[in-house]
Amino acid sequence: EAGVAQSPRYKIIEKRQSVAFWCNPISGHATLYWYQQILGQGPKLLIQFQNNGVVDDSQLPKDRFSAERLKGVDSTLKIQPAKLEDSAVYLCASSLGDVIYGYTFGSGTRLTVV
Amino acid sequence: SQKIEQNSEALNIQEGKTATLTCNYTNYSPAYLQWYRQDPGRGPVFLLLIRENEKEKRKERLKVTFDTTLKQSLFHITASQPADSATYLCALDSWGKFQFGAGTQVVVTP
């Protein structure tokens, strides 16, 4: 079975610029997550989708971050404008919804804001 | 506030020995606890889940214990191999979502 696809793998932008990340989850996985992982830290949940609806976006900095999951399949995460502290790996994960199977993560997008 | 603590110091261990990692938590009452493995440049990979009413879970050379009184989980890799070298993350269920610890790096030397 194909894994969670993410692109791009790397992105370098200047502060105040905008950037978008794309994620295609495993087919049939209704739940999709975006996590931010700063170097040396564990992944931090930004937003959770169930199909195309938002379940939890309480930790998403909504003044600059936005995410959508049109048609309940792939998803995009956008940052506008970026700040230096947004430098991190952005991980997308999907799940069947039953915790016993865990989350399946993509390889992430490494963002560097200079 | 909720807190998950994993040893930030890398665990260096000789091949064939047992590696033991700890995951301590405060202000949680998790129904589930998961363990993941993360290699450099990759996303975490799910290894095991243990429920609050389970004391121990095994999968091949991996063993996880869950002590809700001590608020601690132990993760054991028996007969460790160089291929086990990675960072291991614990994740705790919080209102249906999993919060991750920072992970502990394991280095297995031949």
Side-chain angles (χ1 to χ4, degrees), chain B:
Chain B
S1 61
Q2 295 177 323
K3 204 170 181 183
I4 303 171
E5 290 183 344
Q6 294 188 256
N7 198 337
S8 58
E9 282 188 30
L11 178 64
N12 291 284
I13 192 164
Q14 201 171 13
E15 183 175 9
K17 302 291 186 184
T18 297
T20 298
L21 309 179
T22 60
C23 174
N24 296 302
Y25 58 92
T26 54
N27 296 322
Y28 274 95
S29 295
Y32 309 96
L33 189 149
Q34 298 177 336
W35 282 89
Y36 287 78
R37 169 187 173 136
Q38 187 170 25
D39 291 284
R42 312 291 294 182
V45 174
F46 173 69
L47 297 174
L48 279 169
L49 174 140
I50 188 166
R51 294 177 173 82
E52 61 177 339
N53 60 351
E54 295 177 317
K55 296 294 184 188
E56 182 179 296
K57 201 77 168 281
R58 291 176 185 261
K59 179 183 176 182
E60 298 171 354
R61 294 183 295 109
L62 306 179
K63 184 178 89 171
V64 172
T65 62
F66 193 9
D67 189 325
T68 55
T69 302
L70 290 179
K71 294 187 180 295
Q72 180 183 79
S73 174
L74 298 180
F75 178 84
H76 306 272
I77 307 172
T78 58
S80 59
Q81 304 167 359
D84 295 326
S85 297
T87 296
Y88 292 85
L89 305 163
C90 67
L92 275 66
D93 167 60
S94 176
W95 298 97
K97 292 173 288 292
F98 281 88
Q99 312 286 345
F100 285 81
T104 298
Q105 184 183 13
V106 173
V107 179
V108 182
T109 52

Side-chain angles (χ1 to χ4, degrees), chain A residues 13-25:
Chain A
I13 61 172
E14 294 183 349
K15 59 184 179 183
R16 292 188 289 272
Q17 285 188 321
S18 63
V19 64
F21 314 124
W22 175 81
C23 171
N24 192 16

Side-chain angles (χ1 to χ4, degrees), chain A residues 29-86:
Chain A
H29 281 196
T31 311
L32 184 148
Y33 312 83
W34 282 102
Y35 280 86
Q36 178 193 59
Q37 187 172 25
I38 293 171
L39 188 64
Q41 299 182 18
K44 172 189 159 188
L45 179 66
L46 293 176
I47 189 167
Q48 177 185 351
F49 290 95
Q50 181 73 20
N51 295 310
N52 61 349
V54 174
V55 173
D56 183 0
D57 62 359
S58 57
Q59 297 191 84
L60 188 74
K62 298 181 190 61
D63 57 334
R64 300 185 298 108
F65 286 64
S66 64
E68 59 182 11
R69 191 184 183 195
L70 300 176
K71 301 181 182 177
V73 182
D74 56 351
S75 175
T76 55
L77 176 70
K78 295 178 183 176
I79 308 176
Q80 180 180 11
K83 292 185 176 181
L84 295 176
E85 60 259 37
D86 297 332

